[in-house]
Amino acid sequence: MTSLTDCRALDAQDPLRSLRELFALPEGVIYLDGNSLGPLPQAAPERVARAVREEWGEGLIRSWNTAGWYELPRRLGDKIATLVGAGEHEVVATDSTSINLYKVLSAALAIACADAPGRRTIVSERSNFPTDLYIAEGLCRERGLTLKLVEHEEVAGAIDADTAVLMLTHVNYRTGAMHDMRELTAIAHAAGALAVWDLAHSAGAVEVDLRGADADFAIGCGYKYLNGGPGAPAFVWVHPRHAERFWQPLSGWWSHAAPFAFTHDYQPAPGIARYLCGTQPILSMVALECGLDTLLAAQPLGGMAALRRKSLALTDLFIRLVEQHCGGYGLGLATPRDHRLRGSQVCLTRETGAYAIVQALIARGVIGDFRAGRPDILRFGFTPLYLRFEDVWHAVEHLRQVLSEDEWQRPEFNQQHAVT
Ligand SMILES: *Cc1c(COP(=O)(O)O)cnc(C)c1O
């Protein structure tokens, strides 16, 4: 049995414990939803206010040069690169994950089909995040290709001589199950296909080594584990061997070699800059930088490897405590126990009542979320930057009380909201 005292002892020894101070977490909240929207970095309100008052208010148009606005997508891209195993000048922060997927999937299809004409399919996972499947479906419709969807464990076997692109999300949003990026990329390459990876649930959450895995393209989300704020810019990475082979389809002026030459013909920028499109949301970029800096603050303490160690310890503890204290209430585990196959979240299943249980937990200040399906899922994200082992203990104790006293059956917890 693991006690609250044991958990407090783990916190006292935690080399990352000081990082919690970088966040403005509300009193009385245990936040297990950083995988959907990361919390507010302490530095963000003042930094964004300064960007508004000084850079916009006083600097006006001059701030594109004097406050470094123009460089922000590249500067933030370089910070993100250090978290995902990419090189300098290989990443830009820009647009949304969905839009960036459209760009890189278009590029990957064009390159794959140029190198091996006749390939007709994109292979992906049936339970991939819907926007990824919708974007792929749209591109397939436009180009007369087929989207082949298979179950998680069938992916490797589904790649064949007809595959143009393997498009996967590294860590599954519903279950927290993680693919082996290196192995699946190698299988795709051996079959003559390219690999596009969505890092929405892995950038800042697990160790990612894009170069080491020899991936071709990657995109990821700014407002989840990167703590960039609601609707924060996303990012895009292209392996340098492909970066200049393709004009991405959203060839706006920010992707031009000389945007301020205002020429009427298009010349793509060298390198990753051609994956930009138009003018970027500077205030959101400024907030995203504050989020990225919370992760970079972990670098001297061991960086992503140390964060990953703590993340696995937190999710192991949560699984163990749920089994110790919440047995007999019909909960199942959707997340793999094997560390190599687990992201930074734990998903519990229940035949009925999952939505109401999550609502009852939120009313107690334990914020997770609900994902519909068969069975329904109670989803808990564990962010080692600010979560304590003690928080895990209290979260499970709240869950036990919600279940043992049938608190979740109350009518107010059974009304559906628009955003779950
Ligand atoms: C969160 C998430 C997205 C989000 O896309 P937006 O364009 O930011 O709405 C996309 N893909 C995956 C896999 C996600 O988890």
Side-chain angles (χ1 to χ4, degrees):
M1 284 288 201
T2 305
S3 68
L4 178 56
T5 311
D6 297 332
C7 292
R8 288 185 173 145
L10 290 171
D11 286 321
Q13 297 156 13
D14 172 14
L16 303 177
R17 65 185 178 281
S18 62
L19 297 172
R20 183 177 167 86
E21 290 156 23
L22 299 175
F23 295 90
L25 292 159
E27 270 304 306
V29 164
I30 298 177
Y31 195 56
L32 305 181
D33 218 355
N35 53 324
S36 253
L37 175 65
L40 176 67
Q42 284 285 9
E46 182 46 39
R47 177 67 190 93
V48 174
R50 184 155 54 84
V52 172
R53 266 197 319 265
E54 294 173 22
E55 297 176 10
W56 179 15
E58 291 172 29
L60 292 164
I61 191 78
R62 294 169 289 193
S63 288
W64 284 105
N65 294 313
T66 57
W69 287 356
Y70 186 66
E71 290 306 318
L72 273 173
R74 279 163 275 241
R75 197 150 57 76
L76 272 51
D78 281 341
K79 290 190 174 188
I80 293 166
T82 65
L83 303 172
V84 295
E88 223 184 350
H89 312 314
E90 291 178 10
V91 177
V92 281
T94 185
D95 298 333
S96 69
T97 308
S98 305
I99 292 172
N100 289 334
L101 178 60
Y102 182 79
K103 299 172 194 167
V104 299
L105 192 54
S106 302
L109 288 170
I111 292 170
C113 295
D115 290 349
R119 288 174 180 259
R120 311 296 319 154
T121 55
I122 300 173
V123 170
S124 193
E125 190 182 341
R126 188 165 289 120
S127 71
N128 199 343
F129 191 84
T131 203
D132 296 49
L133 299 182
Y134 303 160
I135 294 282
E137 203 179 314
L139 277 166
C140 283
R141 183 181 274 262
E142 203 174 281
R143 291 162 182 254
L145 305 175
T146 306
L147 178 60
K148 180 162 144 194
L149 299 180
V150 297
E151 300 305 320
H152 190 91
E153 54 290 343
E154 295 167 355
V155 169
I159 301 163
D160 59 24
D162 195 42
T163 309
V165 174
L166 171 67
M167 178 194 83
L168 288 175
T169 297
H170 185 213
V171 175
N172 186 279
Y173 79 106
R174 285 187 86 247
T175 62
M178 182 163 68
H179 284 295
D180 186 329
M181 183 185 292
R182 185 189 298 261
E183 182 184 306
L184 288 172
T185 300
I187 292 171
H189 287 173
L194 295 178
V196 173
W197 290 94
D198 187 332
L199 306 178
H201 287 274
S202 23
V206 302
E207 290 176 273
V208 177
D209 187 4
L210 288 170
R211 281 299 204 107
D214 200 31
D216 297 293
F217 297 86
I219 51 164
C221 184
Y223 52 79
K224 293 173 179 162
Y225 291 98
L226 300 184
N227 307 316
F235 66 90
V236 49
W237 171 80
V238 177
H239 193 289
R241 66 175 167 254
H242 301 308
E244 298 186 0
R245 284 195 65 191
F246 182 66
W247 291 16
Q248 61 101 351
L250 303 177
S251 47
W253 70 309
W254 275 50
S255 72
H256 194 280
F260 290 91
F262 295 107
T263 56
H264 60 262
D265 64 324
Y266 181 73
Q267 281 302 326
I272 192 65
R274 76 176 57 185
Y275 283 79
L276 296 171
C277 178
T279 308
Q280 295 303 303
I282 295 304
L283 300 178
S284 295
M285 286 270 172
V286 163
L288 173 59
E289 184 158 37
C290 296
L292 294 174
D293 288 344
T294 64
L295 285 146
L296 297 186
Q299 301 289 39
L301 304 170
M304 282 310 305
L307 288 166
R308 174 64 172 160
R309 261 196 307 281
K310 182 174 170 191
S311 154
L312 286 169
L314 290 167
T315 50
D316 275 345
L317 175 67
F318 183 77
I319 293 170
R320 192 162 71 242
L321 289 174
V322 167
E323 287 173 346
Q324 279 174 15
H325 299 282
C326 304
Y329 294 118
L331 294 173
L333 179 67
T335 302
R337 288 173 198 272
D338 184 341
H339 286 178
R340 288 167 308 166
L341 307 179
R342 189 195 307 162
S344 197
Q345 67 191 53
V346 177
C347 300
L348 304 177
T349 59
R350 199 166 191 277
E351 285 306 320
T352 57
Y355 178 80
I357 294 166
V358 168
Q359 293 307 308
L361 283 171
I362 291 172
R364 285 168 167 268
V366 180
I367 303 182
D369 61 23
F370 162 83
R371 288 291 175 265
R374 281 211 197 112
D376 289 339
I377 279 186
L378 301 87
R379 191 172 70 151
F380 303 99
F382 292 85
T383 306
L385 284 172
Y386 48 84
L387 279 178
R388 298 169 298 203
F389 292 93
E390 178 178 347
D391 297 324
V392 176
W393 197 91
H394 288 299
V396 175
E397 178 55 17
H398 281 293
L399 176 61
R400 189 190 67 76
Q401 290 175 19
V402 162
L403 290 165
S404 73
E405 292 156 26
D406 275 346
E407 187 173 295
W408 63 275
Q409 304 255 22
R410 289 204 219 138
E412 70 263 34
F413 298 138
N414 286 274
Q415 285 158 5
Q416 293 266 357
H417 300 289
V419 176
T420 59

